[in-house]
Amino acid sequence: MELKLKKELIDQDGIRRALTRISHEIIEKNEGLDDIVVIGVRTRGVPLANRIANKLREIEGQEVKTGILDITLYRDDLTTIANQPIVHQTEIPFDITDKKIILVDDVLYTGRTVRSALDALMDLGRPQNIQLAILIDRGHRELPIRADYVGKNLPTSKQEVISVDLEEVDGEDVVTLKEYV
Protein backbone atom coordinates (compact mmCIF):
# COMPACT_ATOMS: atom_id res chain seq x y z
CA MET A 1 0.00 0.00 0.00
CA GLU A 2 1.13 3.48 -0.82
CA LEU A 3 0.50 6.75 1.01
CA LYS A 4 -0.88 9.61 -1.05
CA LEU A 5 -1.03 13.24 0.03
CA LYS A 6 -4.63 14.27 0.63
CA LYS A 7 -4.08 17.84 1.89
CA GLU A 8 -1.90 20.18 3.91
CA LEU A 9 -3.47 20.82 7.31
CA ILE A 10 -1.08 23.15 9.15
CA ASP A 11 1.75 25.30 7.85
CA GLN A 12 4.86 26.62 9.63
CA ASP A 13 3.02 29.59 11.15
CA GLY A 14 0.21 27.34 12.39
CA ILE A 15 2.71 25.06 14.15
CA ARG A 16 4.42 28.07 15.72
CA ARG A 17 1.10 29.47 16.95
CA ALA A 18 0.03 26.10 18.39
CA LEU A 19 3.30 25.72 20.31
CA THR A 20 3.06 29.29 21.60
CA ARG A 21 -0.48 28.64 22.87
CA ILE A 22 0.58 25.35 24.48
CA SER A 23 3.47 27.16 26.21
CA HIS A 24 1.14 29.80 27.65
CA GLU A 25 -1.26 27.08 28.83
CA ILE A 26 1.60 25.25 30.59
CA ILE A 27 2.59 28.40 32.44
CA GLU A 28 -0.99 29.18 33.40
CA LYS A 29 -1.86 25.66 34.59
CA ASN A 30 1.33 25.36 36.65
CA GLU A 31 1.32 28.96 37.89
CA GLY A 32 4.82 29.48 36.54
CA LEU A 33 7.70 27.16 35.78
CA ASP A 34 8.85 25.94 39.19
CA ASP A 35 9.91 22.26 39.00
CA ILE A 36 8.93 22.06 35.29
CA VAL A 37 11.02 19.92 32.94
CA VAL A 38 10.19 19.24 29.29
CA ILE A 39 10.89 15.80 27.82
CA GLY A 40 10.39 14.92 24.16
CA VAL A 41 9.56 11.45 22.86
CA ARG A 42 11.95 10.46 20.09
CA THR A 43 11.85 11.40 17.20
CA ARG A 44 9.60 14.38 16.49
CA GLY A 45 8.66 15.00 20.11
CA VAL A 46 12.24 16.12 20.73
CA PRO A 47 12.31 19.25 18.51
CA LEU A 48 8.78 20.10 19.69
CA ALA A 49 9.94 19.81 23.33
CA ASN A 50 12.93 22.05 22.60
CA ARG A 51 10.71 24.64 20.94
CA ILE A 52 8.29 24.62 23.88
CA ALA A 53 11.17 24.96 26.37
CA ASN A 54 12.57 27.89 24.36
CA LYS A 55 9.14 29.54 24.26
CA LEU A 56 8.70 29.04 28.02
CA ARG A 57 12.10 30.67 28.62
CA GLU A 58 11.19 33.51 26.26
CA ILE A 59 7.87 34.17 28.03
CA GLU A 60 8.98 33.72 31.66
CA GLY A 61 12.71 34.50 31.47
CA GLN A 62 13.48 31.24 33.27
CA GLU A 63 15.53 28.27 32.04
CA VAL A 64 13.70 24.97 31.64
CA LYS A 65 15.58 21.67 31.52
CA THR A 66 14.90 19.40 28.55
CA GLY A 67 15.41 15.72 27.92
CA ILE A 68 15.02 13.05 25.26
CA LEU A 69 13.07 9.86 25.90
CA ASP A 70 13.54 6.75 23.76
CA ILE A 71 10.64 4.30 24.22
CA THR A 72 11.74 1.59 21.76
CA LEU A 73 12.16 -1.16 24.35
CA TYR A 74 8.89 -0.23 26.08
CA ARG A 75 6.69 -0.62 22.99
CA ASP A 76 4.04 -3.34 23.11
CA ASP A 77 4.49 -3.93 19.37
CA LEU A 78 8.27 -4.31 19.49
CA THR A 79 8.27 -7.74 17.85
CA THR A 80 6.08 -6.56 14.97
CA ILE A 81 7.97 -3.38 14.02
CA ALA A 82 11.36 -4.94 13.19
CA ASN A 83 13.56 -7.97 13.76
CA GLN A 84 16.33 -5.72 15.03
CA PRO A 85 14.71 -2.48 16.28
CA ILE A 86 17.04 0.50 16.49
CA VAL A 87 17.40 1.57 20.10
CA HIS A 88 18.52 5.14 20.72
CA GLN A 89 19.65 6.58 23.97
CA THR A 90 17.41 8.28 26.47
CA GLU A 91 19.09 11.56 27.40
CA ILE A 92 17.68 12.95 30.63
CA PRO A 93 20.71 14.36 32.47
CA PHE A 94 18.78 15.32 35.60
CA ASP A 95 16.70 13.66 38.30
CA ILE A 96 12.99 13.63 37.48
CA THR A 97 11.93 12.86 41.05
CA ASP A 98 9.42 15.45 42.30
CA LYS A 99 9.48 17.28 38.95
CA LYS A 100 6.48 18.29 36.87
CA ILE A 101 7.20 16.62 33.55
CA ILE A 102 5.78 18.03 30.36
CA LEU A 103 5.91 15.00 28.05
CA VAL A 104 5.87 16.10 24.41
CA ASP A 105 5.05 14.16 21.24
CA ASP A 106 3.83 15.02 17.77
CA VAL A 107 0.67 12.92 17.27
CA LEU A 108 -1.65 11.25 19.77
CA TYR A 109 -3.47 8.32 18.17
CA THR A 110 -4.11 5.03 20.02
CA GLY A 111 -2.34 6.10 23.21
CA ARG A 112 0.12 3.21 23.11
CA THR A 113 3.18 5.40 22.53
CA VAL A 114 2.24 7.53 25.53
CA ARG A 115 1.73 4.41 27.68
CA SER A 116 5.22 3.27 26.70
CA ALA A 117 6.62 6.70 27.53
CA LEU A 118 4.94 6.68 30.95
CA ASP A 119 6.46 3.27 31.71
CA ALA A 120 9.91 4.50 30.64
CA LEU A 121 9.64 7.65 32.77
CA MET A 122 8.51 5.75 35.86
CA ASP A 123 11.64 3.59 35.57
CA LEU A 124 13.72 6.78 35.89
CA GLY A 125 12.17 8.22 39.04
CA ARG A 126 8.98 9.37 40.72
CA PRO A 127 7.85 12.66 39.22
CA GLN A 128 5.39 14.96 40.99
CA ASN A 129 3.19 14.64 37.90
CA ILE A 130 3.32 14.07 34.18
CA GLN A 131 1.43 16.35 31.80
CA LEU A 132 1.06 15.48 28.12
CA ALA A 133 1.55 18.05 25.35
CA ILE A 134 0.65 16.93 21.84
CA LEU A 135 0.81 18.87 18.58
CA ILE A 136 -1.98 16.81 16.91
CA ASP A 137 -4.70 14.69 18.51
CA ARG A 138 -6.25 12.53 15.79
CA GLY A 139 -8.56 10.40 17.94
CA HIS A 140 -9.02 6.60 17.83
CA ARG A 141 -7.78 5.95 21.38
CA GLU A 142 -7.31 2.34 22.46
CA LEU A 143 -6.20 3.27 25.98
CA PRO A 144 -7.70 5.77 28.46
CA ILE A 145 -5.13 8.49 27.73
CA ARG A 146 -5.78 12.14 26.93
CA ALA A 147 -3.52 15.12 26.41
CA ASP A 148 -3.37 18.05 28.80
CA TYR A 149 -2.28 20.39 26.00
CA VAL A 150 -3.30 19.95 22.36
CA GLY A 151 -2.12 22.04 19.44
CA LYS A 152 -4.96 20.91 17.20
CA ASN A 153 -7.65 18.22 17.21
CA LEU A 154 -7.85 16.63 13.76
CA PRO A 155 -10.31 13.72 13.66
CA THR A 156 -9.30 11.19 11.02
CA SER A 157 -10.39 7.86 9.65
CA LYS A 158 -8.24 4.81 10.33
CA GLN A 159 -7.27 4.77 6.64
CA GLU A 160 -5.74 8.22 6.98
CA VAL A 161 -2.34 9.17 8.38
CA ILE A 162 -1.27 12.44 9.96
CA SER A 163 2.28 13.28 8.92
CA VAL A 164 4.19 15.86 10.96
CA ASP A 165 7.31 17.19 9.26
CA LEU A 166 9.61 19.40 11.31
CA GLU A 167 12.50 21.58 10.16
CA GLU A 168 14.98 19.87 12.51
CA VAL A 169 14.19 16.37 11.17
CA ASP A 170 12.56 16.76 7.75
CA GLY A 171 13.72 20.16 6.49
CA GLU A 172 10.34 21.90 6.73
CA ASP A 173 7.47 22.54 9.14
CA VAL A 174 4.16 21.17 7.86
CA VAL A 175 1.37 18.85 8.97
CA THR A 176 -0.29 16.88 6.19
CA LEU A 177 -3.09 14.37 5.84
CA LYS A 178 -2.28 11.30 3.79
CA GLU A 179 -4.29 8.23 2.93
CA TYR A 180 -3.53 4.70 1.81
CA VAL A 181 -4.27 3.97 -1.84
Side-chain angles (χ1 to χ4, degrees), residues 94-119:
F94 48 85
D95 186 7
I96 65 167
T97 301
D98 293 326
K99 298 296 183 199
K100 297 175 186 174
I101 296 176
I102 309 300
L103 180 64
V104 182
D105 205 5
D106 57 348
V107 178
L108 179 56
Y109 181 38
T110 63
R112 292 181 182 277
T113 297
V114 174
R115 188 217 42 93
S116 299
L118 294 172
D119 288 347

Side-chain angles (χ1 to χ4, degrees), residues 25-157:
E25 290 173 3
I26 290 168
I27 294 165
E28 187 174 327
K29 179 175 182 174
N30 293 284
E31 298 177 354
L33 297 177
D34 292 341
D35 296 320
I36 296 282
V37 297
V38 182
I39 297 176
V41 177
R42 245 188 233 283
T43 294
R44 286 172 185 80
V46 174
L48 293 173
N50 289 331
R51 291 183 195 187
I52 288 171
N54 289 336
K55 187 58 74 174
L56 294 171
R57 183 181 63 248
E58 185 182 302
I59 296 166
E60 289 289 292
Q62 184 178 342
E63 282 297 319
V64 177
K65 291 179 181 177
T66 61
I68 298 171
L69 185 66
D70 182 72
I71 62 160
T72 304
L73 294 177
Y74 290 86
R75 294 178 60 109
D76 62 4
D77 62 352
L78 187 60
T79 57
T80 63
I81 58 171
N83 288 335
Q84 294 290 318
I86 299 170
V87 178
H88 298 281
Q89 194 168 350
T90 287
E91 299 170 33
I92 301 176
F94 48 85
D95 186 7
I96 65 167
T97 301
D98 293 326
K99 298 296 183 199
K100 297 175 186 174
I101 296 176
I102 309 300
L103 180 64
V104 182
D105 205 5
D106 57 348
V107 178
L108 179 56
Y109 181 38
T110 63
R112 292 181 182 277
T113 297
V114 174
R115 188 217 42 93
S116 299
L118 294 172
D119 288 347
L121 285 172
M122 297 312 280
D123 281 351
L124 298 174
R126 191 172 195 284
Q128 188 179 134
N129 65 50
I130 300 172
Q131 301 166 37
L132 180 60
I134 295 291
L135 181 61
I136 306 295
D137 185 343
R138 63 170 288 195
H140 303 286
R141 219 72 78 239
E142 294 174 2
L143 300 173
I145 290 175
R146 70 169 175 77
D148 298 279
Y149 313 101
V150 177
K152 190 132 180 109
N153 287 292
L154 295 171
T156 59
S157 77

